Amino acid sequence: MYVVKSPLPEADLKTVSEALQGALVDLVDLSLVAKQIHWNIVGPRFRSIHLQLDEVVATARTHSDTVAERAATLGVSPDGRAGTVAATSGIGKVPDGWVKDTDAVGTLVDALGAVITRMRQRVNSTADPDPVSQDIFIGITADLEKHHWMFQAEHG
Amino acid sequence: MYVVKSPLPEADLKTVSEALQGALVDLVDLSLVAKQIHWNIVGPRFRSIHLQLDEVVATARTHSDTVAERAATLGVSPDGRAGTVAATSGIGKVPDGWVKDTDAVGTLVDALGAVITRMRQRVNSTADPDPVSQDIFIGITADLEKHHWMFQAEHG
Amino acid sequence: MYVVKSPLPEADLKTVSEALQGALVDLVDLSLVAKQIHWNIVGPRFRSIHLQLDEVVATARTHSDTVAERAATLGVSPDGRAGTVAATSGIGKVPDGWVKDTDAVGTLVDALGAVITRMRQRVNSTADPDPVSQDIFIGITADLEKHHWMFQAEHG
Amino acid sequence: MYVVKSPLPEADLKTVSEALQGALVDLVDLSLVAKQIHWNIVGPRFRSIHLQLDEVVATARTHSDTVAERAATLGVSPDGRAGTVAATSGIGKVPDGWVKDTDAVGTLVDALGAVITRMRQRVNSTADPDPVSQDIFIGITADLEKHHWMFQAEHG
Amino acid sequence: MYVVKSPLPEADLKTVSEALQGALVDLVDLSLVAKQIHWNIVGPRFRSIHLQLDEVVATARTHSDTVAERAATLGVSPDGRAGTVAATSGIGKVPDGWVKDTDAVGTLVDALGAVITRMRQRVNSTADPDPVSQDIFIGITADLEKHHWMFQAEHG
Amino acid sequence: MYVVKSPLPEADLKTVSEALQGALVDLVDLSLVAKQIHWNIVGPRFRSIHLQLDEVVATARTHSDTVAERAATLGVSPDGRAGTVAATSGIGKVPDGWVKDTDAVGTLVDALGAVITRMRQRVNSTADPDPVSQDIFIGITADLEKHHWMFQAEHG
Amino acid sequence: MYVVKSPLPEADLKTVSEALQGALVDLVDLSLVAKQIHWNIVGPRFRSIHLQLDEVVATARTHSDTVAERAATLGVSPDGRAGTVAATSGIGKVPDGWVKDTDAVGTLVDALGAVITRMRQRVNSTADPDPVSQDIFIGITADLEKHHWMFQAEHG
Amino acid sequence: MYVVKSPLPEADLKTVSEALQGALVDLVDLSLVAKQIHWNIVGPRFRSIHLQLDEVVATARTHSDTVAERAATLGVSPDGRAGTVAATSGIGKVPDGWVKDTDAVGTLVDALGAVITRMRQRVNSTADPDPVSQDIFIGITADLEKHHWMFQAEHG
Amino acid sequence: MYVVKSPLPEADLKTVSEALQGALVDLVDLSLVAKQIHWNIVGPRFRSIHLQLDEVVATARTHSDTVAERAATLGVSPDGRAGTVAATSGIGKVPDGWVKDTDAVGTLVDALGAVITRMRQRVNSTADPDPVSQDIFIGITADLEKHHWMFQAEHG
Amino acid sequence: MYVVKSPLPEADLKTVSEALQGALVDLVDLSLVAKQIHWNIVGPRFRSIHLQLDEVVATARTHSDTVAERAATLGVSPDGRAGTVAATSGIGKVPDGWVKDTDAVGTLVDALGAVITRMRQRVNSTADPDPVSQDIFIGITADLEKHHWMFQAEHG
Amino acid sequence: MYVVKSPLPEADLKTVSEALQGALVDLVDLSLVAKQIHWNIVGPRFRSIHLQLDEVVATARTHSDTVAERAATLGVSPDGRAGTVAATSGIGKVPDGWVKDTDAVGTLVDALGAVITRMRQRVNSTADPDPVSQDIFIGITADLEKHHWMFQAEHG
Amino acid sequence: MYVVKSPLPEADLKTVSEALQGALVDLVDLSLVAKQIHWNIVGPRFRSIHLQLDEVVATARTHSDTVAERAATLGVSPDGRAGTVAATSGIGKVPDGWVKDTDAVGTLVDALGAVITRMRQRVNSTADPDPVSQDIFIGITADLEKHHWMFQAEHG
């Protein structure tokens, strides 16, 4: 049976692996939510936000890969299957159907806000047990907060 | 309220939009399944299959975008949210945890086989109502069957 | 005198060559109309639509070249001169002078709609006489309908 | 209503805007004429001239965009529609149908010659009212005269 | 023993695999014939046709790979060995030794003509049994007919 | 002590060097003003104008470097320090704090207008003493007026 | 009125925003100072240092943008206007006129030294209130200290 | 009739041209054999060897072109037609049908070995009559021996 | 004599410089060890691991340069000479001669494991004295642990 | 016999063609002189000036091609043969043998100065007869004067 | 005074340095001759040969740089000044004025033939004294003979 | 046990393999020595030589890989481990600590001189037993002697 001797002691590993699994689910869901609105947005600002959403997708996809491979690196099997994402994501369910451009921006402000709050908790919880994972969470938070600013700046 | 005057009559549109929505869900799930095994594979062939799976992910992501935007083009709202994917995908559930390289190949043979069977039905059902959508399904089938060949050729 | 032995029998060739010549004129005119509005658009959405219109121009130019060379390939001389375009295009005349951004979007929705209707007829009429030309028309229709969706989505 | 406060006084603006509108029409027509022969040329030198003509098309398209946007910059609406081009171009009508390679070269020598003569007049007329527009006409003339040389060098 | 469960029923598979094997041999031979003349051509048009022939080689090589891998995808072993190509190609034998440029063009007109005739038959025969393979044959035919036009246009 | 024997007589050099120093300060300030608004803009058109402003920054930075090195080339030390820019720029002071998107466009219309007026004077004053420097000012004016058009077209 | 709900509590935000505003001013001024010397340097080592200074400019421009957008992300309006830079920069005033190459290196050693000292204080002060901003300051310090080493190594 | 005054005396030319013609046939056949196995390989190492074989194809294609053009350069008509290759290649006939990955490696070890032995003889025989051709054979041998090493290293 | 005024107090500098010198030696040796096995590996997995090892080499070379230049930046002379590496590396001596692919993977698992253990100690020891150097060690550890995962995943 | 109907009257043509022929010779010689010193320079500043000289070569080669083709465009045969360059260049003869780096800079200052003086005369003499050629001379002068500044700045 | 301790004994150095200086002059002159005809060619094959000549120029420029730097490497000052080239080139003087395309090809056949004869002598004379220089001459000969073939193949 | 049937007879193989192993060690050490000075150099010419040394590193790394893989190709295990390099390199030991720029150049002149002397012996000794390996040594010598020239030219 496959066993990796993790560089972290058991207790630390538990904290860090929960943070990584939570981040993985949040980021996969963020990529699916941003694509959903990328396809369903309507209104005068369609083109600008349609393009902006694909930049969120790119950010979410890149970081979800980093986070999942970091879990594997620590000897913990990551889980990014659709059922797991649907059941445990930190992003509230987004409605189906067409989305007005104004609502699209609001949805992203909320979704990014929810993920950022959890990501900042992961920055704190992993500082001592694994500064390497913490550094990954810091980088993700910086990118997500920058997207958050942009959607806020064009909202309301 | 947003209404697109679809280029297709109502009955044709129903057939085509079901085909597109089905394909969207299958392709999003294929991308998630391939990533799941990309992260969890172990065994001597790890590196080769790890890389091969990212080519499946790239294929699935590109085509899912094309299919969803084709639905929007016909005036039908596409649904690629995690919950919808988890509930309606044509791919059987893959187990969590580490996956032996040999099993990884078998899982892909099965997953691709399932998606291809449904995609060929879509090629048939859309031939008359919308040759434009059919052409997209033909291109997707060609790519998926090529991946299928490669995993079969290295299986068993 | 230059004579190409066409791979198609006479009757089929007539059908296909009319379709190709019609498509050529429509696509050249679409490129000119999109450039006209690209230059004359005014209003708060100026920049976004200005850029979007150049993507329509690129699509129209690429496909008009393909269609004209397909006609030559079948031994039929294509005609894309300004006078021919002005006299036989399927796009209604667009007004001169500055165009409000909202009107610009409406003009493109109409122009693309007119070209798409004729292009779908060409997809049908060429299916039997020349599936190679039909495949070209299918590809063009897919691209034009995608542009059509985007302008519709940001219209009204 | 949209009004740009032009950096030029009224009389100067009239001179410059006529020069720009004239250049726009000539350049759009040059791009259409070069494409027409690009598609219809036959004879032993087919391939070489076929390629050379696309370089003329690229030159004409790039400069027509610059000229039209320069007109808009000065507050004058440019007109590059097919009907306007057909009615006011400085290039004589080119015949339809296949074109022998030798005739193709001759047609380009004539067409470029006609446009260059008018473009040199624009260089002169705009020197005082707007050296910025003049500089654009100088650059266009340099490129067109270089093409003219090449077609002359291979003619006769 | 290696067995692929083909997506096609037995009878269909026979039709399609014969078409694919025939296309493979024709395309490999076309690449060898075009290279042979690429090396042996002499005369004033040497450089232009020498370059043009390498574009035929590129087309033939790319499509022969696609066709052979499509056969493998359907579970049929492709055969592109020199002996098989020499024995079963649809292109008549080309003479050895230096080739005058005019004759070189004529040889290509003939070789392309022979391959195109057979490729159009494959488009027809595979339409029902496998639209995915048919779509590949349509794309190949479009490219070969375009090359055919160019050599015809510069011939005679 | 460093002395360059300038290619211009003393009186001409004075005229040209004042023009270059003035242009340097205006262009450095334009890059700072455009960045300031790039960071502080809010409102529904945030993303489009945020991107557009970075194109102004790129234009201003490139031309300021050209102008400063042209001064050095003529043997005149350029001065682009913050204090000099703050004291002598031709652009009126822009307010601090967040800027509504509509106001942002207005601010750019004004700033570009102010710089263009002075740049056109430099085109005139340098025509005789140094046509090389004049050519640089003509190129700068063309670029700035194009930006000016775009902001005007989307303003009001 | 535009209000961002900052992810930081009020007291922390004050500390972090002061650090970001200070860094912004220092970095903008560093880019202006390095350009000033890039243009005014004379002496045998002119070319090498002229090129090296543009690398400092690139570093300073990239980081100033990151820092200003980080401030906006936290809901604090950044101020990078010429007057603010002239009044509050941490770099001592550099003299106008030509600069000997040896002095140029000395000036950069001093300017970089001054900015680094303040940047290290920002690394310390932001560690607890915002590790995301701290990580940005750490990256900036690494780059500036590397430039500092190179100018020191070639000084004296 | 086309005659090149070869830079080599008659006897030397005979030696060199036989070496070049032999190398041409071997290299064309090597490219066909490597493609044949690229398409027909099965087994767990499918993907790795499938990719590796395309590197052999690229090497063989590039060098066959160089060798054939070197023959033409010396005034000797090269012959790379399918029949000539089938009749005179130095590589033993490879079987048709699927090939196990282990056998695929063995086949390449043998094929490369056969070609290398003949190529080393060409290095020797051309040293005196034409060091330019010898240098080409040396370069080819270096590349083929490197491929040979790699297949040997993974064999058995 | 060359003296850099280090930004760190003496005691801190000692800690940090020992960490940097140790990391330099480990990384240079890792690059040499990975190359050694890259050249000497034999067995069925030759190609995959041969390529994978060059990715380790690239990682080790890039980071060794960063670490050495960081030491110089702090005013400490780095030592990466062969004798120093041979005498002080943290990697156990690897045997000479051919290496079976399975053993090659095991050797890398051990070598990476040894370097990672020491690198994590450097992350801890430099946290207080120099967070800039610590950030570099964190980034190196992340990369090495990812390589470590991959070799572990394909081992045993 | 080949005759181009020049766009310029006879007297103007004489002035312009002399200017172009003179510039051609100066620029070809400048490229040879700069290469000569590029190869023969010795001294501590070898590398920096060696690289700088190739930038002069690139400038001279590009502009000599433009100038020669401009002459051909006006119907005047350009002459850039070695004998013509040796007999009529405006650059004084440079000595053979090794060149000290300091002398190398001085040689370039002189050579560039001589060419610039003549080029400025060409700017003046062609202003009326042909503003298109004048614009080319202005661009060349700008580039040469920039090189001149750089060599002056590092001289003495 | 600058003295390099050459790796070659005195007698060998004399042989090799004469070969290098001769090659340098031939190659510089070849680049000037090919440019001369590139500008002056007229006739139906203008475009094809105009482009082909720039490939000769590129070959000649690249190799002349290699040869000159090889001389410097051996401690021998290379001489590529216009006067030296005019006086000692192995290429016969080419006439001034326009050149018919047929004559252009003949001129190149002669010029390349003359240079090749001398270059083959250099291959022989340097074999023993310096195989490194010989290898350079072999590479140059290969390239020149390939150009020679192409011009011969299209000649007569 | 792994055995390669070498293409060389036993006695020849011994000569060639000793030459390859010696070259491998020299080149690895050269890359380490050049990096050592790249990091430790101080003085006014720091930047120029710092950059130049990385070009030596690139040359040494590329060639060491080629040489080691050539040994493996001949069936001889290469040894590039730190201990072997430290014990058997042909480069004298370089001192630790900072290096003045003038001394840095001198060190490279010596190190390159030592390696070149040995490399020329390898060119001679391998000429008969293996012209393929000899050709590799000739190419390496050409590159090293070019670096040697440059450091000599800027030395003293």
Side-chain angles (χ1 to χ4, degrees), chain H residues 7 15 24 28 32 98-99 143 155:
Chain H
T15 301
L24 172 59
V28 171
L32 295 177
W98 306 115
V99 185
D143 284 354
H155 192 44

Side-chain angles (χ1 to χ4, degrees), chain E residues 2 5 11 21 24 41-42 61-62 73 84 119 147 155-156:
Chain E
Y2 178 69
K5 193 156 62 63
Q21 173 62 29
L24 172 59
I41 185 171
V42 296
R61 282 180 177 169
T62 300
T73 293
T84 308
M119 208 63 77
H147 282 299
H155 192 45

Side-chain angles (χ1 to χ4, degrees), chain C residues 7-81:
Chain C
L8 304 183
E10 196 60 35
D12 287 355
L13 182 57
K14 185 165 184 312
T15 301
V16 177
S17 66
E18 283 174 7
L20 290 164
Q21 174 61 31
L24 172 59
V25 166
D26 285 0
L27 290 166
V28 171
D29 202 30
L30 180 60
S31 77
L32 295 177
V33 164
K35 267 292 182 199
Q36 177 71 9
I37 301 177
H38 171 84
W39 298 323
N40 282 286
I41 185 171
V42 295
R45 294 154 67 194
F46 164 84
R47 186 170 178 275
S48 182
I49 301 170
H50 179 76
L51 293 172
Q52 187 177 6
L53 284 161
D54 254 359
E55 296 173 13
V56 176
V57 172
T59 295
R61 284 180 175 169
T62 299
H63 285 312
S64 67
D65 206 57
T66 301
V67 158
E69 296 192 351
R70 180 72 197 157
T73 292
L74 295 177
V76 180
S77 162
D79 184 353
R81 297 169 300 163

Side-chain angles (χ1 to χ4, degrees), chain I residues 2-154:
Chain I
Y2 178 69
V3 180
V4 166
K5 195 156 62 62
S6 177
L8 305 183
E10 196 60 32
D12 287 355
L13 183 56
K14 185 165 185 310
T15 301
V16 176
S17 66
E18 282 173 8
L20 290 165
Q21 174 62 29
L24 172 58
V25 165
D26 284 0
L27 290 165
V28 171
D29 201 30
L30 181 60
S31 77
L32 295 177
V33 164
K35 268 292 181 199
Q36 176 73 9
I37 302 177
H38 171 83
W39 298 322
N40 283 286
I41 185 171
V42 296
R45 293 154 67 195
F46 164 84
R47 187 172 177 273
S48 181
I49 301 171
H50 178 76
L51 294 172
Q52 187 176 5
L53 285 161
D54 254 359
E55 297 172 12
V56 176
V57 172
T59 295
R61 284 180 176 168
T62 300
H63 285 312
S64 67
D65 207 56
T66 301
V67 158
E69 296 191 352
R70 179 71 195 157
T73 292
L74 295 177
V76 179
S77 161
D79 184 352
R81 297 170 299 165
T84 308
V85 173
T88 66
S89 163
I91 304 177
K93 202 177 178 193
V94 297
D96 62 353
W98 306 114
V99 185
K100 280 291 298 170
D101 47 14
T102 316
D103 298 338
V105 173
T107 300
L108 259 290
V109 170
D110 292 348
L112 286 163
V115 177
I116 287 165
T117 299
R118 290 155 61 108
M119 208 64 77
R120 283 202 160 255
Q121 291 164 351
R122 291 169 193 130
V123 169
N124 289 338
S125 69
T126 57
D128 287 334
D130 187 16
V132 178
S133 295
Q134 187 207 30
D135 197 54
I136 290 170
F137 290 129
I138 287 173
I140 294 172
T141 304
D143 284 356
L144 295 178
E145 289 184 348
K146 186 172 168 187
H147 283 299
H148 200 213
W149 156 50
M150 292 190 172
F151 282 100
Q152 284 178 289
E154 69 201 16

Side-chain angles (χ1 to χ4, degrees), chain E residues 35-36 40 65 77 80-81 94, chain H residues 35 40 65 77 80-81 94:
Chain E
K35 267 291 180 198
Q36 176 72 9
N40 283 286
D65 207 56
S77 162
R81 297 169 300 163
V94 297
Chain H
K35 267 292 181 198
N40 282 284
D65 207 56
S77 160
R81 297 170 298 165
V94 298

Side-chain angles (χ1 to χ4, degrees), chain F:
Chain F
M1 212 219 112
Y2 179 70
V3 178
V4 164
K5 194 158 60 63
S6 177
L8 306 183
E10 195 62 32
D12 287 354
L13 183 57
K14 185 165 183 313
T15 301
V16 176
S17 67
E18 282 173 7
L20 289 165
Q21 174 62 30
L24 172 59
V25 165
D26 284 0
L27 290 165
V28 171
D29 201 29
L30 180 59
S31 77
L32 296 178
V33 163
K35 268 292 180 197
Q36 176 73 10
I37 302 176
H38 171 83
W39 298 322
N40 282 286
I41 185 172
V42 297
R45 293 153 68 194
F46 164 84
R47 187 172 177 275
S48 181
I49 302 170
H50 178 77
L51 293 172
Q52 187 177 6
L53 284 161
D54 252 0
E55 296 172 12
V56 176
V57 172
T59 295
R61 283 180 175 169
T62 299
H63 286 312
S64 67
D65 206 56
T66 301
V67 158
E69 295 191 352
R70 180 71 195 158
T73 292
L74 296 177
V76 179
S77 161
D79 184 353
R81 296 169 300 164
T84 308
V85 173
T88 66
S89 165
I91 304 177
K93 200 175 179 196
V94 298
D96 63 353
W98 306 115
V99 186
K100 279 291 299 170
D101 48 13
T102 315
D103 298 339
V105 173
T107 300
L108 261 289
V109 171
D110 292 348
L112 285 162
V115 176
I116 287 165
T117 299
R118 291 155 60 106
M119 208 64 76
R120 283 202 161 256
Q121 292 164 352
R122 291 169 193 131
V123 169
N124 290 337
S125 69
T126 57
D128 287 334
D130 187 17
V132 179
S133 296
Q134 188 207 30
D135 197 56
I136 291 169
F137 290 129
I138 287 173
I140 294 172
T141 305
D143 284 355
L144 295 179
E145 289 184 348
K146 185 172 169 188
H147 283 300
H148 200 214
W149 155 51
M150 291 189 173
F151 282 100
Q152 284 178 290
E154 68 200 15
H155 192 44

Side-chain angles (χ1 to χ4, degrees), chain G residues 59-82:
Chain G
T59 295
R61 283 181 176 168
T62 300
H63 285 313
S64 67
D65 206 57
T66 300
V67 157
E69 296 191 352
R70 180 71 197 157
T73 292
L74 296 178
V76 179
S77 162
D79 184 352
R81 297 170 299 163

Side-chain angles (χ1 to χ4, degrees), chain C residues 2 28 32 35-36 38-40 42 50 61 65 68-69 75-82 85-86 94-98, chain D residues 2 28-29 32 35-36 38-40 42 50 61 65 68-69 75-83 85 94-98:
Chain C
Y2 179 70
V28 171
L32 295 177
K35 267 292 182 199
Q36 177 71 9
H38 171 84
W39 298 323
N40 282 286
V42 295
H50 179 76
R61 284 180 175 169
D65 206 57
E69 296 192 351
V76 180
S77 162
D79 184 353
R81 297 169 300 163
V85 173
V94 297
D96 63 352
W98 306 116
Chain D
Y2 179 69
V28 171
D29 201 29
L32 295 177
K35 268 292 181 197
Q36 175 73 10
H38 171 84
W39 297 322
N40 282 286
V42 297
H50 178 76
R61 283 181 176 170
D65 206 56
E69 296 192 351
V76 180
S77 162
D79 184 353
R81 296 170 299 162
V85 173
V94 297
D96 63 353
W98 305 115

